């Protein structure tokens, strides 16, 4: 039985990768609907890694990033973060708000933040929904919270909450491509150890 992330074996990590792959596929479908475009997703890179490696993959601790954070609770408890660099975030905002009178592409308005929050909410729901479907667990999502800050500062939120159970996270790197746009995003999933045990048990994996 594992008590911290560091005790996950290769089978456990493979299961988490498969959950990430399924969630990424659902996210691509959701993103296509949002952007009104055919969206293809490259094979996502799913890895269980430490916080520092995740921060470096986001461009370093000082890289300006837009983050949408959601807590999930119920039969499973943890946090999911949708992270996107500023350039791609501005592109998403521009696509979503075409025709709404947004003049300054570099200005981050409340309307733009609301749009990116909804993107994060839908994509986060895609991942949590994949866990719920695979396991039969009943999982609820909190209201999303959006923030613009350095990657290191954004990652400090779950570090404070989840650092006591280890420093490992599920980090998913994705590339979405449409007819006119290419986007990269990252999803970081944190789960309490009890939640990981429940997921493995539901999927018939020994713990």
């Amino acid at each position: 039985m594992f008590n911290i992330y560091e005790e996950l074996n290769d089978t456990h990590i493979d299961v988490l990768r498969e959950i990430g792959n399924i969630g990424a596929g659902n996210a691509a479908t959701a993103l296509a609907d949002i952007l009104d475009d055919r969206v293809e997703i490259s094979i996502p890179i799913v890895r269980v890694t430490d916080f520092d490696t995740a921060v470096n993959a986001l461009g370093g601790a000082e890289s300006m990033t837009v983050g949408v954070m959601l807590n999930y609770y119920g039969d499973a408890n943890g946090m999911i973060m949708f992270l996107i660099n500023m350039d791609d975030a501005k592109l998403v905002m521009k696509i979503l708000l075409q025709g709404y009178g947004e003049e300054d592409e570099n200005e981050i308005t409340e309307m733009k933040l609301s749009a990116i929050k909804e993107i994060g909410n839908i994509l986060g729901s895609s991942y949590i929904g994949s866990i719920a479907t695979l396991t039969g667990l009943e999982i609820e999502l909190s209201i999303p919270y959006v923030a613009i800050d350095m990657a290191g500062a954004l990652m400090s939120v779950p570090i404070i909450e989840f650092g006591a159970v280890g420093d490992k996270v599920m980090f998913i790197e994705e590339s979405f491509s449409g007819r006119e746009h290419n986007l990269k995003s990252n999803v970081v999933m944190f789960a309490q150890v009890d939640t990981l045990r429940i997921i493995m048990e539901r999927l018939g994996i020994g713990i």
Side-chain angles (χ1 to χ4, degrees), residues 1-5 7 165 193 197:
M1 178 181 293
F2 54 82
N3 295 301
I4 57 176
Y5 274 57
E7 294 175 354
V165 298
V193 171
R197 291 195 196 108

Side-chain angles (χ1 to χ4, degrees), residues 1-203:
M1 178 181 293
F2 54 82
N3 295 301
I4 57 176
Y5 274 57
E6 283 79 0
E7 294 175 354
L8 293 171
N9 61 34
D10 290 343
T11 299
H12 299 143
I13 291 174
D14 284 344
V15 169
L16 293 177
R17 287 198 182 104
E18 185 58 27
I19 289 172
N21 286 331
I22 294 170
N26 293 341
T29 300
L31 192 61
D33 291 338
I34 296 167
L35 301 182
D36 192 25
D37 192 4
R38 179 182 177 184
V39 175
E40 296 181 355
I41 184 171
S42 63
I43 297 174
I45 300 172
V46 183
R47 49 187 170 165
V48 176
T49 187
D50 58 75
F51 288 104
D52 289 340
T53 300
V55 169
N56 288 334
L58 293 169
E62 297 183 356
S63 175
M64 292 304 297
T65 304
V66 178
V68 181
M69 292 165 275
L70 304 97
N71 286 310
Y72 57 92
Y73 56 92
D75 291 339
N77 297 281
M79 177 183 290
I80 185 166
M81 298 175 65
F82 167 68
L83 301 161
I84 188 169
N85 68 45
M86 284 300 298
D87 288 339
D88 282 345
K90 288 176 181 177
L91 175 58
V92 170
M93 295 173 190
K94 180 180 178 181
I95 295 169
L96 293 176
L97 297 175
Q98 283 181 342
Y100 283 85
E102 295 282 344
E103 296 179 357
D104 188 347
E105 293 183 3
N106 293 313
E107 181 183 3
I108 306 299
T109 64
E110 286 298 321
M111 184 178 289
K112 288 180 178 179
L113 284 179
S114 179
I116 204 74
K117 182 190 294 186
E118 185 58 22
I119 287 276
N121 187 35
I122 292 173
L123 296 185
S125 297
S126 297
Y127 283 92
I128 298 304
S130 69
I131 295 175
T133 299
L134 286 170
T135 62
L137 297 173
E138 294 188 10
I139 309 174
E140 302 289 336
L141 280 170
S142 69
I143 296 172
Y145 170 74
V146 64
I148 299 174
D149 208 330
M150 292 183 292
L154 292 175
M155 286 292 291
S156 70
V157 177
I159 286 175
I160 292 170
E161 184 169 349
F162 291 87
V165 298
D167 70 343
K168 300 293 184 182
V169 299
M170 183 162 71
F171 187 80
I172 304 165
E173 299 177 71
E174 308 163 318
S175 294
F176 298 101
S177 60
R179 287 171 295 188
E180 300 180 9
H181 309 289
N182 296 305
L183 301 169
K184 291 184 178 181
S185 72
N186 301 102
V187 172
V188 181
M189 289 188 63
F190 307 83
Q192 294 180 355
V193 171
D194 287 348
T195 289
L196 290 180
R197 291 195 196 108
I198 292 170
I199 289 172
M200 297 303 166
E201 287 175 349
R202 286 295 184 97
L203 295 176

